Amino acid sequence: MEKYEGYIFTALCSTNFLISCLLFSRVTREQREPYMDEIFHIPQAQKYCHGKFNEWDPMITTLPGLYLVSVGVIKPVVWLADLTGDVVCSTAMLRFINLLFNCGNLYLIYLLICRLHLREKTRTASRRVLSALSLSTFPVLYFFNFLYYTDAGSTFFVLFTYLMTLYGCHKASALLGVCSVLFRQTNIIWVAFCAGTLVASKMDEAWRVEHSKKRDEKSALSQVPLSFSGAKKVLRFSLEFLISPSHVKAVLLVAWPYAVVGIGFLMFMMLNDGIVVGDRTSHEACFNFPQLFYFFSFSLFFSLPVSLCYHRILRFLQAMKKQPFFFLFITVASLLLVWKFTFVHKYLLADNRHYPFYVWKKLFQRHELIRFLLIPVYIFAGWNFLDSFKTRSLFWSLAYLACLLSATVPQKLLEFRYFIVPYLMYRLHMPLPSLPRLMLEFLLYTAVNAATIYIFITKTFKWPDTTATQRFMW
């Protein structure tokens, strides 16, 4: 299988692109006009196509990365094919850009899997290929390949940034990180994550050196106890590392390109008076801690075929029995966070075209106690999430969790699109699942994609105050 891996992956890429093109054609025929956020993105891209770079729609909240890339791709094609008229920068042509990003995402995911699982060289070709295919069809991401949204391009540049970090090309990674920020400002968090992995690597090395001197074999990173004493031990070591001039120097020598990007972003925030470009009143940051619980539940559902098993449930029950006070503390803390820090964005309940509207209305609004009754589910989902990282070093896990908190908690709006990159990072770093589990994951994603695209195309409705056709979407 390893011998023909390249040929098989190429065939799958071609098949994936062909099927995506057929779906794209159907979606575009059914929804020819700009829909939802496209009513802002498409006119803005068309202004850029006509060279009007000084005109900007104040309702757009992101930087113009998507529009610049679109013009950079479309203009040479238009010149080579001698195209004129309405087809140039049309809705369909602009949407097709995301289909190209879809192909790029499939290839990048495959390369990342190969790089992240170098030690698993034997009998893994089929699992690598199937993992890449499955993740490229991740439902929330795949759906937006057919509309002119920033998600496909944003994910592409984040994945590309991380891949270059893994290859040690830190200058190229930092430059690609700038491109990702031009698609979505919050991607600066994942640029910081790339730098954080370098810091984590240095901390892992320092930890091993320190404890090898003490000859404390039980102090391995993988065996730090999930307890208050373990947390105290790690915190003390982290503080000592970060105030050590030699350690800071060693990190900066490697991570300085990311520091330059970070400083540039801080300057942008100062000049812009914030992170959001437009529509500031609807995109204010807050401490919406339950967003982390929603993400854990979201991750549990979509990783169910590859992460959940009888032995993991048994380990969870054993952990509760072994450390009851720790889990009691987590439960009480979760109750307080849900009670005091649950925020509901005005957009969530104002637009019945999004699935989160129905999740909130049918589940959370059914009774005021529902949000508290779900806490055991959140705790198990969070434990299952963290248990998947047991093969990763502690400091890498801490770097990822810090970025996860930064990417989710400040968001007031429950929007599944915000979970795309955090979920892909989580799933990419899981140990390669077995073929049967990967097949189940792929079937789950295919079923969800088929359902959402079918509903988008066929289950239309109209609002009383408008004649425009409305559709359900993520």
Side-chain angles (χ1 to χ4, degrees), residues 6-247:
Y7 299 107
I8 294 170
F9 180 71
T10 303
L12 279 176
C13 285
S14 302
T15 304
N16 177 67
F17 182 66
L18 176 61
I19 294 172
S20 297
C21 283
L22 293 172
L23 290 171
F24 173 84
S25 176
R26 180 63 191 276
V27 169
T28 302
R29 282 201 308 272
E30 294 294 332
Q31 183 63 47
R32 296 180 181 274
E33 299 301 316
Y35 185 67
M36 290 293 291
D37 288 2
E38 285 186 324
I39 63 174
F40 307 113
H41 293 309
I42 288 176
Q44 185 63 51
Q46 290 171 340
K47 289 176 183 177
Y48 274 40
C49 278
H50 294 108
K52 299 176 182 178
F53 294 100
N54 59 339
E55 295 185 17
W56 186 259
D57 186 339
M59 291 300 293
I60 295 175
T61 61
T62 53
L63 293 170
L66 177 61
Y67 320 131
L68 292 172
V69 169
S70 299
V71 172
V73 172
I74 289 173
K75 282 295 184 179
V77 172
V78 167
W79 180 75
L80 288 171
D82 198 23
L83 298 174
T84 57
D86 294 337
V87 70
V88 178
C89 284
S90 62
T91 299
M93 185 174 283
L94 289 169
R95 287 174 177 171
F96 192 78
I97 297 297
N98 280 341
L99 219 56
L100 300 179
F101 278 129
N102 173 52
C103 296
N105 284 330
L106 172 56
Y107 186 54
L108 288 173
I109 289 170
Y110 173 72
L111 292 177
L112 282 165
I113 289 171
C114 291
R115 187 69 181 178
L116 289 168
H117 302 283
L118 280 172
R119 295 179 182 178
E120 304 174 46
K121 290 183 178 179
T122 58
R123 292 178 291 178
T124 59
S126 55
R127 289 189 287 158
R128 287 195 297 264
V129 171
L130 188 52
S131 288
L133 179 63
S134 180
L135 287 180
S136 72
T137 60
F138 177 56
V140 185
L141 174 62
Y142 191 72
F143 179 87
F144 288 100
N145 291 329
F146 308 113
L147 298 175
Y148 194 61
Y149 273 60
T150 59
D151 300 278
S154 171
T155 303
F156 174 85
F157 280 106
V158 169
L159 295 177
F160 206 169
T161 299
Y162 188 45
L163 181 66
M164 289 297 101
T165 300
L166 295 177
Y167 278 115
C169 304
H170 301 301
K171 294 176 186 177
S173 178
L175 182 60
L176 288 163
V178 173
C179 295
S180 74
V181 171
L182 289 174
F183 273 73
R184 186 170 289 167
Q185 294 92 304
T186 52
N187 284 339
I188 191 66
I189 294 166
W190 300 107
V191 178
F193 169 72
C194 292
T197 59
L198 301 180
V199 178
S201 177
K202 297 292 183 182
M203 293 180 76
D204 291 338
E205 185 180 340
W207 178 281
R208 283 191 291 269
V209 169
E210 178 178 324
H211 289 88
S212 64
K213 291 178 181 177
K214 298 178 181 179
R215 297 180 180 179
D216 188 1
E217 295 180 358
K218 292 183 179 180
S219 296
L221 284 173
S222 60
Q223 295 180 0
V224 175
L226 185 65
S227 63
F228 298 111
S229 61
K232 185 179 178 181
K233 187 177 183 180
V234 171
L235 182 61
R236 187 189 304 116
F237 172 81
S238 300
L239 289 174
E240 290 175 357
F241 181 91
L242 295 173
I243 62 175
S244 169
S246 60
H247 288 146

